[in-house]
Amino acid sequence: MAGYTTTNPATGQTDHEFSALDDDGIQNVLRRTDSAFPAWRATPSSERAAALERTADLYSARAPQLAELIATEMGKPLRQGLEEVELAASIYRWYAVHGPDLLADEQIDPQGAQESLVQTAPIGPLVGVMPWNYPYYQVARFVAPNLMAGNTIVLKHAGICAASSAVMAEMLHEAGVPQDAYINAYASHDQLADMIADPRIRGVSLTGSEKAGAAVAENAGAHLKKSVLELGGSDPLIVLEDADVDAVAREVAAARLSNAGQACNSPKRIIVPEAMKDRFLAIVVEEFEGATVGDPRSEDVAVGPLSSVGARDGVVEQVDRAVSQGAILHTGGSALEGEGAFMRPAVLTGVTKEIDAYEEEIFGPVAVIHTYTTIEDAIALANDVSFGLSGSMWGRDLEDAQAVADRLEVGMAYVNEHGTTLPGLPFGGVKRSGFGRELGRWGMGEFVNVRLRRTSAA
């Protein structure tokens, strides 16, 4: 049967092939994760925390190797890969420090009884379905809180991340997580559906596309399983009239080029005052044209390849379609000649509601710049899509910026920063960007049994 293949997107060369599980293998995975749950949940929280702390240490110690791996696996420039590794390490470490307290029993008002006690208990084996764009970080934000809570995990990573997913499993096991408490499974989409339906699996978390999220949520709902979905985004970034236009334009360009634009919470719709448009546009175009595109293992490269030639061609097609529908292309937008999944970063304006790119997510190095004349117009434009992951305001008057931020229909609103993700902050969206939260105490609360034990006098 078909396996997992890792192809270097900078060269187009296949590096490794991994054998996928057959159906008997899937059943074995389900037996193992189910059998491991009683012992793992009974492991003292301090010991589970210690395993997470050791995991964090391994990430930090192996950071260069891990960054190199995803550079060749999905094309992330080395410096950005190192930053991702350290972010993943910080998540494991945060839950190692705070996890035991988050799981502690809570005495509440007894309300007529001798005692009312709220306990936090794991619910059982979980399935995690993770994407390729942040291979370590997105696994960490699901795995760390749920291993800390005492759940066992079956992790199905993206097909192109077979090598990094294997290394993550090795590090967790080396750190002291039992082999069967965390299982890396090379499963197909059909096998994933069967695992979610299996009564031994108690919940599923997916980070990915709307289509994948809808399929997983339907399957989970049909079998009365809890699900958490982190899906797409088309995040607005509003530049206020008192902002430092040069500084914000350069910040926007760097954010939009990071990870070759392949981030759900990247600022994909940039909304600037009409009077600032020419200056802002000129700077973004200059930054895009000056960014070095090339081998992600080179230190001077700012923009690596997209994850695959197919992904690159899809983004190029979106740009071409936008132009054919009336948008204005100021730079880039075409595939680079030669091997690999490279494209020239693109800047678009004139994207009106009649153009597909107004609503759809562009998952690549493309900046779409809109203008506004009143702040009411800017807010209406920011909210006029079906996504609601995050958004940001940029300006010197913090009270004004906060007032605008409070009107965004998003799960995360930022003032003078965009897309910040830290272990103790909640992460998640609304509308078609999904539901549920990850990270912080909120990530610990999704797949647990908040259990009441009430005692009255005999």
Side-chain angles (χ1 to χ4, degrees), residues 105-189:
D105 294 346
E106 179 185 359
Q107 294 278 358
I108 63 173
D109 180 359
Q111 300 174 65
Q114 294 284 4
E115 179 188 63
S116 290
L117 185 73
V118 176
Q119 302 167 314
T120 302
I123 62 172
L126 308 175
V127 169
V129 187
M130 296 296 120
W132 47 262
N133 57 333
Y134 288 89
Y136 303 122
Y137 157 65
Q138 286 167 316
V139 168
R141 71 188 193 192
F142 166 65
V143 167
N146 286 300
L147 283 179
M148 185 64 240
N151 296 310
T152 56
I153 290 173
V154 177
L155 199 290
K156 182 210 173 298
H157 217 315
I160 68 173
C161 292
S164 58
S165 65
V167 171
M168 282 183 271
E170 291 170 7
M171 289 192 294
L172 283 163
H173 297 153
E174 182 178 339
V177 177
Q179 294 278 335
D180 292 349
Y182 181 90
I183 302 172
N184 177 49
Y186 296 140
S188 69
H189 293 300

Side-chain angles (χ1 to χ4, degrees), residues 246-266:
D246 290 28
V248 177
R250 290 190 175 90
E251 186 82 28
V252 164
R256 196 66 195 100
L257 293 175
S258 179
N259 206 35
Q262 301 168 122
C264 54
N265 61 340
S266 180

Side-chain angles (χ1 to χ4, degrees), residues 43 145 337 355:
T43 300
E337 299 78 10
I355 295 173

Side-chain angles (χ1 to χ4, degrees), residues 175-387:
V177 177
Q179 294 278 335
D180 292 349
Y182 181 90
I183 302 172
N184 177 49
Y186 296 140
S188 69
H189 293 300
D190 288 343
Q191 290 171 330
L192 169 64
D194 291 341
M195 285 195 290
I196 294 170
D198 191 282
R200 288 167 289 193
I201 296 298
R202 300 298 300 276
V204 57
S205 179
L206 174 139
T207 299
S209 68
E210 291 177 83
K211 181 179 178 181
V216 163
E218 181 179 12
N219 190 10
H223 295 92
L224 300 178
K225 307 288 180 70
K226 175 69 180 288
S227 61
V228 168
L229 303 180
E230 197 277 282
L231 308 178
S234 187
D235 288 8
L237 183 151
I238 299 178
V239 183
L240 301 177
E241 291 183 348
D242 66 344
D244 181 336
V245 61
D246 290 28
V248 177
R250 290 190 175 90
E251 186 82 28
V252 164
R256 196 66 195 100
L257 293 175
S258 179
N259 206 35
Q262 301 168 122
C264 54
N265 61 340
S266 180
K268 300 187 179 78
R269 295 179 299 129
I270 301 134
I271 305 168
V272 304
E274 182 66 41
M276 289 184 181
K277 175 187 174 183
D278 291 345
R279 177 64 180 167
F280 192 95
L281 176 61
I283 293 173
V284 173
V285 168
E286 179 185 9
E287 293 291 318
F288 269 44
E289 291 179 344
T292 303
V293 179
D295 188 336
R297 294 171 298 176
S298 298
E299 292 292 339
D300 62 338
V301 164
V303 184
L306 277 75
S307 63
S308 67
V309 169
R312 187 272 314 277
D313 291 347
V315 174
V316 169
E317 192 276 330
Q318 285 180 292
V319 173
D320 290 344
R321 180 159 30 93
V323 172
S324 72
Q325 293 172 339
I328 301 169
L329 178 65
H330 296 269
T331 189
S334 59
L336 269 67
E337 299 78 10
E339 300 296 330
F342 299 96
M343 72 171 285
R344 295 177 177 85
V347 179
L348 291 169
T349 61
V351 175
T352 63
K353 197 163 185 173
E354 294 71 35
I355 295 173
D356 293 343
Y358 181 90
E359 170 72 23
E360 66 188 5
E361 180 178 25
I362 301 180
F363 215 62
V366 180
V368 178
I369 299 176
H370 300 270
T371 61
Y372 70 91
T373 53
T374 71
I375 195 61
E376 294 298 325
D377 292 338
I379 294 168
L381 178 59
N383 290 332
D384 192 28
V385 294
S386 60
F387 296 107

